[in-house]
Amino acid sequence: MKHVLPILFFLLTINITAQTDEETLKTIYSTSLTNGKSYEWLDYLSNQIGGRLSGSLNAEKAVVYTKEELEKLGLDKVWLQPVMVPKWVRGIKEYAFIESSSGITTTVNICALGGSIATPIGGVKAAVLEVKGIDELIALGKDKVSGKIIFFNRPMQADLIQTFEAYGGCVDQRYAGAMEAGKLGAVGVIVRSMNLRLDDLPHTGSMTYGNLPNSQRIPSAAISTNDAEKLSGMLALDKNIKLFFNQTCQQLQDVQSHNVIGEITGSEFPNEYIIVGGHLDSWDLGDGSHDDGAGCVQSMDVLRLLKESGIKPKRTIRVVLFMNEENGLRGATKYAEIAKQKGENHIFSLESDAGGFTPRGFQFDCDDEVFAKIESWKALFKPYLIHYFEKGGSGADVAPLKTDTNVVAGLRPDSQRYFDHHHAANDVFEHVNKRELELGAATMTSLVYLIDKYGI
Amino acid sequence: MKHVLPILFFLLTINITAQTDEETLKTIYSTSLTNGKSYEWLDYLSNQIGGRLSGSLNAEKAVVYTKEELEKLGLDKVWLQPVMVPKWVRGIKEYAFIESSSGITTTVNICALGGSIATPIGGVKAAVLEVKGIDELIALGKDKVSGKIIFFNRPMQADLIQTFEAYGGCVDQRYAGAMEAGKLGAVGVIVRSMNLRLDDLPHTGSMTYGNLPNSQRIPSAAISTNDAEKLSGMLALDKNIKLFFNQTCQQLQDVQSHNVIGEITGSEFPNEYIIVGGHLDSWDLGDGSHDDGAGCVQSMDVLRLLKESGIKPKRTIRVVLFMNEENGLRGATKYAEIAKQKGENHIFSLESDAGGFTPRGFQFDCDDEVFAKIESWKALFKPYLIHYFEKGGSGADVAPLKTDTNVVAGLRPDSQRYFDHHHAANDVFEHVNKRELELGAATMTSLVYLIDKYGI
């Protein structure tokens, strides 16, 4: 037996070397769809661990679990990179109701936005001022805003085909609404959930107070789209309605957490790094299956699929599971800082953080020359219905790795259902389709294979 | 007021005429996503009516409902086209168990295949012979097959990217398995459900006995994929296990039903017909939302979206909701027969019958010259992420309209999730995403607009 294994290995190597790129991609996709691990990993992360808010026990469980799973893959190196992260906790379930001028109350579904302060003990009740955005709020001025609960109710634009564009056109209300309303003396902010569907689920997400003094910081919550419609409709009939809401969330001291990193060291150019990643933290309302459990397990499987497909990379391929994308980006910042310190040349960094849906392609943040090279591979992806190669964004966690020469990129899955689940209680495992997830992992692996083989 | 309306109308016409195709497609997509009717219609069809098996009360309710809805659109003509359809009924809930050689029983999930006969009263119990396909069955021969329940257990091939190909590679077991096993003296057939997922739902679908005499016809059922795995695993351990199943389905006399048809008569070439359609019947286990409620409501909305977008077609645009695609194709056959009798020139016929998922493009059954013309419009669809224009199939209901000059085509949505729901109890409204459905309707409308404008 002693002599047989090396010969088998040799034959395997020959075989892979002789493969065309078409054949290698076929192997990668076929392996992912028949022998992928991404779905099994996601099942554990979602159903055995659950939501993984930075600083939480679950986030630490996810660090331990994914490190252990990477160690089982026989990579050249697996380690944890320490990073201090913010710890915000939601407290007891939020509660809110509308009170008509005749005193009739109607419960509505809200959740505190990540980073918000609590309401005063016992909650806050005030008249409601509905606005469509921050400009409108500022134009109304202190006299009209002071003492009110500001209701930001600009919906996501339904006729934009890419739902991330619709999100981009709305999210300022959530992120900066409370800061701007606080400056004008408002007592609270309620933001329409970033959701294209009409349903009953409030969608959380990050917000900021900037440098506002504590005295001007006001509590901020998201309201479900159905209840935003209800509140708006009731306001149209009765300007004197009030809104009550109560939340007990708080920002605690930073705690230590980790990025989880594994690598296959390159055989020819070990200091040229190609990284794939997602973020291991999630919001706390669901189990974070789409955002971003999917991106984590796909990235883990990229390294495994390369090995399973018999590919021995020339460059160093790293998976990085970033901690704290959702409310601080501390993991990504730390990773980029250390990479710079060590002089690691990250030639290509790819993130999957747009859900585990059917992959459509990639966006690349790079110059025209590099893009032309990458685009020349597009035809190889046609059998897999990957058609979208565009210049533009990348991913929040890989963006800090961008330099004049280093490329950052993002996987682009179908986006139609993403905001139905984003940051809400229904971002759960059952809404991830196994094949769609596996196709994403294979698509990422295929691109990594090509970049490793041909360089940037 | 009397003078204002014609002027407004004139201005609107001018405006539309002056629009580029890019602008018109933008109007169509935007209208569908912000003012579509498809989702509302589907809600009614699925949740107020439900599964619509040919010959059932629900199928007739669907005929009445869709005709009424088309009449509300102000089309030039709406009518019912009578057609005789088969009436197969499922009877009481099917029941099945595995019995080990030591007499221990394990219940499994089955459903009768459409067109199957009942088991003998009280059910059938026999030893089980597992095969991967019809060839293997025939090779085993009468001696080994006779008296057995044949278990067809060839799974759908997971590494095919287009799931319809995987379906095509498996469905012969379901369609012809009982006919072939009956010839060899088997007493029943159990077929692994046509489903790429492992779950507990049996998937029904049509089967045939061909010209077999009644004496050789045997009952045939589908088993869930999880239970197929269980049965196969138990057989590997214990060759003497038996399977029991009971079903009371029966084929009744044909009954009269209808195709539902509406049209906008062409202003220049009224005898050039462009049709869009889906099939109004469905299987009975779910509510037929994806198969093919989605295709029906999308097709209905094509005519409405043309009107809403201010487009006045030169050719006659027809929506046809075909009856009995699932188990007979009688509606399609009748429609084609009458079209031929009347000398109606169907230049282009498009079916949506692959689910209400995000549209990816179309397949066309046509010659190279026509295909080149159609493909020249592909760039217009790029902003809508429609990238798949291929020669190949069309749809079961429009295929009979194919001639040397007349083109038939099918909408091609993302196929990854389709067979999770196909013909099963989970083909229900909640699994259809509103935006995905509306994008499909807009994609169909856009192609119809271009074909009407430029001809084939």
Side-chain angles (χ1 to χ4, degrees):
Chain A
M1 284 299 287
K2 205 163 119 188
H3 301 291
V4 176
L5 277 177
I7 290 167
L8 273 176
F9 184 77
F10 178 74
L11 289 172
L12 187 72
T13 311
I14 289 291
N15 182 38
I16 289 299
T17 311
Q19 273 190 347
T20 63
D21 290 335
E22 284 78 4
E23 287 165 340
T24 303
L25 263 63
K26 193 159 196 274
T27 303
I28 290 169
Y29 275 91
S30 179
T31 305
S32 189
L33 286 166
T34 59
N35 177 28
K37 281 277 280 182
S38 55
Y39 195 66
E40 184 186 325
W41 283 326
L42 188 63
D43 186 3
Y44 193 96
L45 213 50
S46 299
N47 292 320
Q48 301 300 317
I49 296 177
R52 301 169 295 281
L53 192 51
S54 289
S56 68
L57 178 62
N58 279 1
E60 294 319 292
K61 282 185 183 170
V63 166
V64 171
Y65 171 67
T66 51
K67 177 169 179 274
E68 281 174 4
E69 291 301 309
L70 287 176
E71 282 167 345
K72 290 180 194 166
L73 300 184
L75 305 180
D76 294 310
K77 208 173 156 195
V78 175
W79 73 101
L80 300 182
Q81 184 174 67
V83 56
M84 294 301 289
V85 296
K87 183 176 172 76
W88 177 83
V89 293
R90 185 169 298 281
I92 61 167
K93 177 96 184 78
E94 304 85 345
Y95 177 62
F97 60 81
I98 303 167
E99 188 178 279
S100 73
S101 52
S102 57
I104 296 166
T105 57
T106 307
T107 299
V108 289
N109 296 290
I110 67 154
C111 67
L113 293 179
S116 175
I117 60 168
T119 53
I121 290 168
V124 59
K125 185 159 81 174
V128 181
L129 187 63
E130 177 176 348
V131 294
K132 294 293 181 201
I134 289 171
D135 288 350
E136 185 185 343
L137 174 86
I138 292 170
L140 285 169
K142 202 155 188 162
D143 275 5
K144 290 196 174 128
V145 170
S146 187
K148 302 271 175 47
I149 290 173
I150 305 305
F151 169 35
F152 287 97
N153 192 30
R154 184 166 84 259
M156 287 175 76
Q157 199 181 320
D159 60 355
L160 293 172
I161 304 301
Q162 310 250 28
T163 60
F164 282 87
E165 279 185 45
Y167 180 67
C170 262
V171 72
D172 65 320
Q173 302 171 97
R174 188 194 79 201
Y175 191 68
M179 179 171 69
E180 298 301 334
K183 287 178 193 167
L184 298 171
V187 296
V189 156
I190 295 286
V191 184
R192 181 190 182 98
S193 286
M194 305 288 122
N195 178 10
L196 282 150
R197 270 169 63 92
L198 289 174
D199 67 22
D200 295 325
L201 299 172
H203 292 227
T204 191
S206 64
M207 54 80 65
T208 184
Y209 294 115
N211 294 318
L212 273 194
N214 283 346
S215 61
Q216 291 189 326
R217 296 186 177 203
I218 58 174
S220 180
I223 188 168
S224 77
T225 48
N226 272 341
D227 288 332
E229 293 288 306
K230 183 186 285 175
L231 179 56
S232 181
M234 288 174 76
L235 274 169
L237 297 174
D238 177 358
K239 288 284 167 215
N240 299 315
I241 64 169
K242 289 183 174 168
L243 189 84
F244 167 89
F245 74 110
N246 185 54
Q247 57 192 33
T248 64
C249 44
Q250 52 183 318
Q251 193 78 46
L252 306 176
Q253 293 290 313
D254 289 0
V255 296
Q256 186 175 282
S257 185
H258 298 91
N259 294 324
V260 181
I261 309 174
E263 77 175 37
I264 301 172
T265 308
S267 58
E268 287 184 41
F269 313 108
N271 196 39
E272 289 193 15
Y273 291 86
I274 297 169
I275 79 166
V276 286
H279 63 84
L280 196 50
D281 67 306
S282 76
W283 285 105
D284 55 330
L285 298 174
D287 64 31
S289 282
H290 275 299
D291 186 12
D292 181 27
C296 290
V297 298
Q298 287 173 327
S299 298
M300 290 164 70
D301 222 11
V302 168
L303 274 67
R304 183 184 155 276
L305 291 170
L306 288 172
K307 286 178 82 85
E308 291 281 325
S309 306
I311 296 163
K312 304 197 114 344
K314 296 192 278 188
R315 296 167 168 85
T316 294
I317 316 289
R318 240 184 220 174
V319 52
V320 185
L321 309 181
F322 297 95
M323 183 52 69
N324 186 230
E325 188 270 348
E326 293 293 3
N327 56 339
L329 214 65
R330 300 277 187 87
T333 309
K334 174 64 74 177
Y335 181 86
E337 182 190 312
I338 290 183
K340 199 174 174 187
Q341 272 172 20
K342 293 194 174 173
E344 292 171 346
N345 180 21
H346 281 64
I347 64 163
F348 185 76
S349 303
L350 172 63
E351 182 158 16
S352 167
D353 182 22
F357 301 96
T358 302
R360 306 292 292 265
F362 303 96
Q363 263 188 327
F364 302 93
D365 190 352
C366 63
D367 65 31
D368 287 341
E369 198 185 327
V370 170
F371 182 66
K373 180 168 185 180
I374 293 172
E375 214 184 9
S376 72
W377 302 325
K378 191 171 162 180
L380 287 168
F381 288 88
K382 198 180 176 213
Y384 311 102
L385 306 177
I386 300 299
H387 62 101
Y388 185 83
F389 279 58
E390 297 290 334
K391 284 188 67 176
S394 56
D397 294 296
V398 296
L401 295 165
K402 172 88 178 85
T403 68
D404 284 351
T405 52
N406 290 353
V407 177
V408 293
L411 181 72
R412 293 293 175 258
D414 194 285
S415 77
Q416 298 311 320
R417 294 174 183 229
Y418 186 66
F419 291 97
D420 296 1
H421 303 281
H422 183 245
H423 298 181
N426 65 343
D427 181 5
V428 290
F429 184 69
E430 71 181 88
H431 293 298
V432 177
N433 177 279
K434 182 171 182 282
R435 291 177 59 83
E436 295 179 2
L437 184 74
E438 291 167 347
L439 285 169
T443 303
M444 294 169 74
T445 309
S446 298
L447 182 62
V448 164
Y449 156 75
L450 291 165
I451 286 174
D452 175 63
K453 182 168 174 183
Y454 298 109
I456 286 282
Chain B
M1 283 300 287
K2 203 161 119 186
H3 301 292
V4 176
L5 277 177
I7 290 168
L8 273 177
F9 184 75
F10 177 72
L11 288 172
L12 185 73
T13 310
I14 289 291
N15 181 40
I16 290 297
T17 311
Q19 271 190 345
T20 63
D21 290 335
E22 284 79 3
E23 288 165 340
T24 303
L25 263 62
K26 193 160 196 278
T27 303
I28 290 169
Y29 275 91
S30 179
T31 306
S32 189
L33 286 166
T34 59
N35 178 28
K37 281 277 278 182
S38 54
Y39 194 66
E40 184 185 324
W41 283 326
L42 188 63
D43 186 4
Y44 193 95
L45 213 50
S46 299
N47 292 320
Q48 302 299 317
I49 296 176
R52 302 169 295 281
L53 193 52
S54 288
S56 68
L57 178 62
N58 279 0
E60 294 318 293
K61 283 184 182 171
V63 166
V64 171
Y65 171 68
T66 52
K67 175 168 181 277
E68 281 174 3
E69 290 301 309
L70 287 175
E71 282 167 344
K72 290 180 195 168
L73 300 183
L75 305 180
D76 295 311
K77 207 173 157 196
V78 175
W79 72 102
L80 300 182
Q81 185 174 65
V83 55
M84 294 301 288
V85 296
K87 182 177 173 76
W88 177 84
V89 294
R90 186 170 296 282
I92 61 167
K93 177 92 185 79
E94 305 85 345
Y95 177 62
F97 59 81
I98 304 168
E99 189 179 278
S100 72
S101 52
S102 57
I104 297 167
T105 57
T106 307
T107 300
V108 289
N109 296 291
I110 67 155
C111 67
L113 293 179
S116 176
I117 60 168
T119 53
I121 291 169
V124 60
K125 185 159 81 175
V128 182
L129 186 63
E130 177 176 350
V131 294
K132 295 295 182 198
I134 288 170
D135 288 350
E136 184 185 342
L137 174 88
I138 292 171
L140 285 169
K142 203 158 188 159
D143 275 4
K144 291 197 173 127
V145 170
S146 187
K148 302 271 175 47
I149 290 174
I150 304 305
F151 170 35
F152 286 96
N153 192 29
R154 184 165 84 260
M156 288 174 75
Q157 199 181 320
D159 60 354
L160 293 171
I161 305 301
Q162 310 249 30
T163 60
F164 282 87
E165 280 184 43
Y167 180 67
C170 262
V171 71
D172 65 320
Q173 303 171 95
R174 188 195 78 201
Y175 192 66
M179 179 171 69
E180 297 303 332
K183 288 178 191 167
L184 298 172
V187 297
V189 157
I190 296 287
V191 184
R192 181 190 182 98
S193 285
M194 304 289 123
N195 178 9
L196 281 150
R197 269 170 63 92
L198 288 174
D199 68 22
D200 295 325
L201 298 171
H203 293 226
T204 190
S206 64
M207 53 81 65
T208 184
Y209 295 114
N211 294 319
L212 273 194
N214 283 346
S215 61
Q216 292 188 326
R217 296 186 177 203
I218 58 176
S220 180
I223 187 168
S224 77
T225 47
N226 272 340
D227 288 332
E229 293 290 305
K230 183 186 284 176
L231 179 56
S232 182
M234 288 174 76
L235 273 169
L237 296 173
D238 177 358
K239 290 281 168 215
N240 299 316
I241 64 170
K242 290 183 174 170
L243 189 85
F244 168 90
F245 74 109
N246 185 54
Q247 57 192 31
T248 64
C249 45
Q250 52 183 318
Q251 192 78 48
L252 307 176
Q253 292 290 312
D254 289 359
V255 297
Q256 185 175 282
S257 185
H258 298 90
N259 295 324
V260 181
I261 309 174
E263 78 175 37
I264 301 172
T265 307
S267 59
E268 287 184 39
F269 312 108
N271 196 38
E272 289 193 16
Y273 291 86
I274 297 170
I275 78 165
V276 286
H279 63 85
L280 197 50
D281 66 307
S282 76
W283 285 106
D284 55 331
L285 299 175
D287 64 30
S289 282
H290 276 298
D291 187 13
D292 183 28
C296 290
V297 297
Q298 287 173 328
S299 299
M300 290 164 70
D301 222 10
V302 168
L303 274 68
R304 182 182 157 277
L305 290 170
L306 288 171
K307 287 178 82 85
E308 290 282 324
S309 306
I311 297 163
K312 304 195 119 336
K314 297 192 280 189
R315 296 168 167 86
T316 295
I317 316 288
R318 238 183 222 177
V319 53
V320 185
L321 309 181
F322 296 95
M323 184 51 69
N324 185 230
E325 188 271 347
E326 293 293 2
N327 57 339
L329 214 67
R330 300 277 188 87
T333 309
K334 174 63 74 178
Y335 181 85
E337 179 190 313
I338 290 183
K340 198 173 174 187
Q341 272 172 20
K342 294 194 172 173
E344 293 171 345
N345 180 21
H346 281 66
I347 64 161
F348 184 75
S349 304
L350 172 64
E351 181 157 18
S352 168
D353 182 21
F357 300 96
T358 301
R360 305 291 294 265
F362 303 97
Q363 264 188 326
F364 302 92
D365 191 352
C366 63
D367 65 30
D368 288 339
E369 197 185 331
V370 169
F371 182 66
K373 180 169 186 178
I374 293 172
E375 214 184 9
S376 72
W377 301 325
K378 191 171 162 180
L380 288 168
F381 288 88
K382 198 181 176 212
Y384 311 101
L385 305 177
I386 301 300
H387 62 101
Y388 185 84
F389 279 58
E390 298 290 334
K391 286 188 66 177
S394 56
D397 293 297
V398 295
L401 295 165
K402 173 87 179 85
T403 68
D404 283 351
T405 52
N406 291 353
V407 177
V408 292
L411 181 72
R412 293 294 175 258
D414 194 284
S415 76
Q416 299 310 321
R417 295 176 182 229
Y418 186 64
F419 291 96
D420 297 359
H421 303 281
H422 182 245
H423 299 181
N426 65 343
D427 182 5
V428 290
F429 184 68
E430 70 180 90
H431 293 297
V432 177
N433 177 279
K434 182 171 182 282
R435 290 178 59 82
E436 294 179 2
L437 184 74
E438 290 166 347
L439 285 169
T443 303
M444 294 169 73
T445 308
S446 298
L447 182 63
V448 164
Y449 156 74
L450 291 165
I451 286 174
D452 176 63
K453 182 167 174 183
Y454 298 109
I456 287 281

